[in-house]
Coordinates of all heavy atoms in Angstrom, one line a residue:
R1 N 92.0 138.2 94.5 CA 92.2 137.8 95.9 C 93.6 137.3 96.0 O 93.9 136.1 96.4 CB 91.2 136.8 96.3 CG 91.1 136.6 97.9 CD 90.1 135.5 98.2 NE 88.8 135.8 97.8 CZ 87.8 134.9 97.9 NH1 88.0 133.7 98.4 NH2 86.6 135.3 97.5
P2 N 94.6 138.2 95.7 CA 96.0 137.7 95.6 C 96.5 137.2 97.0 O 97.4 136.3 97.0 CB 96.7 138.9 95.2 CG 95.9 140.1 95.7 CD 94.5 139.6 95.5
F3 N 96.0 137.7 98.1 CA 96.6 137.2 99.4 C 96.2 135.8 99.8 O 96.7 135.3 100.8 CB 96.1 138.2 100.5 CG 96.5 139.6 100.2 CD1 95.6 140.6 100.1 CD2 97.9 140.0 100.1 CE1 95.9 142.0 99.9 CE2 98.2 141.3 99.8 CZ 97.2 142.3 99.7
S4 N 95.3 135.2 99.1 CA 94.9 133.8 99.3 C 95.9 132.8 98.7 O 95.8 131.6 99.0 CB 93.5 133.5 98.7 OG 93.5 133.6 97.3
S5 N 96.8 133.3 97.9 CA 97.9 132.5 97.3 C 99.3 132.8 97.9 O 99.8 133.9 97.5 CB 97.9 132.6 95.8 OG 96.6 132.2 95.2
P6 N 99.8 132.0 98.7 CA 101.1 132.4 99.3 C 102.3 132.2 98.5 O 103.4 132.7 98.8 CB 101.1 131.4 100.5 CG 100.3 130.3 100.1 CD 99.2 130.8 99.3
A7 N 102.1 131.6 97.3 CA 103.3 131.4 96.4 C 103.0 131.7 95.0 O 101.8 131.5 94.5 CB 103.8 129.9 96.5
M8 N 104.0 132.2 94.3 CA 103.9 132.5 92.9 C 105.0 131.8 92.1 O 106.1 131.5 92.7 CB 103.9 133.9 92.6 CG 102.8 134.8 93.2 SD 101.2 134.5 92.3 CE 101.6 135.3 90.7
G9 N 104.8 131.4 90.9 CA 105.8 130.8 90.1 C 105.8 131.1 88.7 O 104.8 131.7 88.1
W10 N 106.8 130.7 88.0 CA 106.9 130.8 86.5 C 107.2 129.5 85.9 O 108.0 128.7 86.4 CB 108.1 131.8 86.1 CG 107.8 133.2 86.4 CD1 108.1 133.9 87.5 CD2 107.0 134.1 85.6 NE1 107.7 135.2 87.4 CE2 107.0 135.4 86.2 CE3 106.4 134.0 84.3 CZ2 106.4 136.5 85.7 CZ3 105.8 135.2 83.8 CH2 105.8 136.4 84.5
F11 N 106.4 129.2 84.8 CA 106.6 128.0 84.1 C 106.9 128.3 82.6 O 106.6 129.4 82.2 CB 105.4 127.1 84.1 CG 105.2 126.4 85.5 CD1 104.6 127.2 86.6 CD2 105.4 125.1 85.6 CE1 104.4 126.5 87.8 CE2 105.2 124.4 86.9 CZ 104.7 125.2 87.9
R12 N 107.5 127.3 81.9 CA 107.7 127.5 80.5 C 107.4 126.3 79.7 O 107.5 125.2 80.2 CB 109.1 128.1 80.1 CG 110.2 127.0 80.5 CD 111.5 127.7 80.3 NE 112.6 126.7 80.4 CZ 113.9 127.0 80.4 NH1 114.3 128.3 80.2 NH2 114.8 126.1 80.6
Q13 N 107.0 126.4 78.5 CA 106.7 125.3 77.6 C 107.2 125.5 76.2 O 106.8 126.5 75.5 CB 105.2 125.0 77.6 CG 104.8 123.7 76.8 CD 103.4 123.3 77.1 OE1 102.5 124.1 77.4 NE2 103.1 122.1 76.8
A14 N 108.2 124.8 75.8 CA 108.7 124.8 74.4 C 107.9 123.9 73.5 O 107.3 123.0 74.0 CB 110.2 124.4 74.5
P15 N 108.0 124.1 72.2 CA 107.2 123.3 71.3 C 107.6 121.8 71.4 O 108.7 121.5 71.5 CB 107.7 123.9 69.9 CG 108.0 125.3 70.2 CD 108.7 125.2 71.5
G16 N 106.5 121.0 71.5 CA 106.7 119.5 71.7 C 107.2 119.1 73.0 O 107.4 117.9 73.2
K17 N 107.2 119.9 74.0 CA 107.7 119.6 75.3 C 106.6 119.9 76.4 O 105.6 120.6 76.2 CB 109.0 120.3 75.7 CG 110.1 119.9 74.8 CD 111.4 120.5 75.4 CE 112.6 120.1 74.5 NZ 113.9 120.7 75.1
E18 N 106.8 119.2 77.6 CA 105.8 119.5 78.7 C 106.1 120.8 79.3 O 107.3 121.3 79.3 CB 106.0 118.3 79.7 CG 105.6 117.0 79.2 CD 104.1 116.8 78.9 OE1 103.3 117.4 79.6 OE2 103.8 116.1 77.9
R19 N 105.1 121.4 79.9 CA 105.3 122.6 80.7 C 106.1 122.3 81.9 O 105.9 121.4 82.7 CB 103.9 123.2 81.1 CG 104.0 124.6 81.7 CD 102.6 125.1 82.0 NE 101.9 125.3 80.7 CZ 100.7 125.8 80.7 NH1 100.1 126.2 81.8 NH2 100.1 125.9 79.5
E20 N 107.2 123.1 82.1 CA 108.1 122.8 83.2 C 108.3 124.0 84.1 O 108.2 125.1 83.7 CB 109.5 122.4 82.6 CG 110.2 123.5 81.9 CD 111.6 123.2 81.5 OE1 112.1 122.1 81.9 OE2 112.2 123.9 80.6
F21 N 108.5 123.8 85.4 CA 108.8 124.7 86.4 C 110.1 125.5 86.1 O 111.1 124.9 85.8 CB 108.8 124.1 87.8 CG 109.2 125.0 88.9 CD1 108.3 125.9 89.5 CD2 110.4 125.1 89.4 CE1 108.6 126.8 90.5 CE2 110.8 125.9 90.4 CZ 109.9 126.8 90.9
V22 N 110.1 126.8 86.3 CA 111.2 127.6 86.2 C 111.7 128.2 87.5 O 112.9 128.1 87.8 CB 111.0 128.7 85.1 CG1 112.2 129.7 85.0 CG2 110.7 128.2 83.7
A23 N 110.8 128.9 88.2 CA 111.2 129.6 89.4 C 110.0 129.9 90.2 O 108.8 130.0 89.7 CB 111.9 131.0 89.1
G24 N 110.1 130.0 91.5 CA 109.0 130.2 92.5 C 109.4 131.1 93.6 O 110.7 131.4 93.8
I25 N 108.4 131.8 94.2 CA 108.7 132.7 95.3 C 107.5 132.7 96.3 O 106.4 132.6 95.8 CB 108.9 134.2 94.7 CG1 109.4 135.1 95.8 CG2 107.7 134.7 94.0 CD1 109.9 136.4 95.3
N26 N 107.8 132.8 97.6 CA 106.8 133.0 98.6 C 106.5 134.4 98.9 O 107.5 135.2 99.1 CB 107.2 132.3 99.9 CG 107.4 130.8 99.7 OD1 106.7 130.1 98.9 ND2 108.4 130.2 100.4
W27 N 105.3 134.8 98.9 CA 104.9 136.2 99.1 C 105.5 136.7 100.4 O 106.1 137.8 100.6 CB 103.4 136.4 99.1 CG 102.8 136.5 97.8 CD1 102.0 135.6 97.2 CD2 102.9 137.6 96.8 NE1 101.6 136.0 95.9 CE2 102.2 137.2 95.6 CE3 103.6 138.8 96.8 CZ2 102.1 138.0 94.6 CZ3 103.5 139.6 95.7 CH2 102.8 139.2 94.6
N28 N 105.2 135.9 101.5 CA 105.6 136.3 102.8 C 107.0 135.7 103.0 O 107.2 134.6 103.2 CB 104.6 135.7 103.9 CG 104.9 136.3 105.3 OD1 105.8 137.1 105.5 ND2 104.1 135.9 106.2
G29 N 108.0 136.7 103.1 CA 109.4 136.3 103.3 C 110.2 136.4 102.1 O 111.4 136.7 102.2
G30 N 109.6 136.2 101.0 CA 110.3 136.3 99.7 C 111.3 135.2 99.4 O 112.2 135.4 98.5
S31 N 111.2 134.0 100.0 CA 112.1 132.9 99.7 C 111.9 132.5 98.2 O 110.8 132.5 97.7 CB 111.8 131.7 100.6 OG 112.1 132.1 101.9
T32 N 113.0 132.2 97.5 CA 113.0 131.9 96.1 C 113.6 130.5 95.9 O 114.4 130.0 96.6 CB 113.7 132.9 95.3 OG1 115.1 133.0 95.7 CG2 113.1 134.3 95.4
Y33 N 113.2 129.9 94.7 CA 113.7 128.6 94.3 C 113.6 128.5 92.9 O 112.8 129.0 92.2 CB 112.9 127.5 95.1 CG 111.5 127.7 95.2 CD1 110.6 127.0 94.3 CD2 110.9 128.5 96.2 CE1 109.2 127.2 94.4 CE2 109.6 128.7 96.3 CZ 108.7 128.0 95.4 OH 107.4 128.2 95.5
Y34 N 114.6 127.7 92.2 CA 114.7 127.7 90.8 C 115.0 126.3 90.3 O 115.5 125.4 91.0 CB 115.9 128.6 90.4 CG 115.8 130.0 90.8 CD1 116.3 130.4 92.1 CD2 115.3 130.9 90.0 CE1 116.2 131.8 92.4 CE2 115.2 132.3 90.3 CZ 115.7 132.7 91.5 OH 115.6 134.0 91.9
A35 N 114.6 126.1 89.0 CA 115.1 124.9 88.3 C 116.6 125.0 88.0 O 117.1 126.1 87.8 CB 114.3 124.8 86.9
D36 N 117.2 123.9 88.0 CA 118.7 123.9 87.8 C 119.1 124.5 86.5 O 120.2 125.2 86.4 CB 119.2 122.4 87.9 CG 119.2 121.9 89.3 OD1 119.1 122.6 90.2 OD2 119.2 120.6 89.4
S37 N 118.3 124.5 85.5 CA 118.6 125.0 84.2 C 118.7 126.5 84.1 O 119.3 127.0 83.2 CB 117.6 124.4 83.2 OG 116.3 124.9 83.5
V38 N 118.1 127.2 85.0 CA 118.1 128.6 85.0 C 118.8 129.3 86.3 O 119.0 130.5 86.3 CB 116.7 129.2 84.9 CG1 115.9 128.6 83.7 CG2 115.9 129.0 86.2

């Protein structure tokens, strides 16, 4: 049911670290947003 989720994102987790946000996108319109590191 992909249309029930208006946003998608990518996270990453390095050894010994917390899972962190990398990038996101809205399905409708395609607006994007990123972590400063990437």
Side-chain angles (χ1 to χ4, degrees):
R1 198 183 297 175
F3 304 120
S4 66
S5 298
M8 297 286 292
W10 289 94
F11 288 76
R12 67 186 184 186
Q13 186 168 20
K17 295 186 176 181
E18 298 292 324
R19 188 174 298 182
E20 65 176 351
F21 172 81
V22 176
I25 188 168
N26 296 326
W27 281 111
N28 191 1
S31 297
T32 60
Y33 40 101
Y34 300 88
D36 289 341
S37 60
V38 306

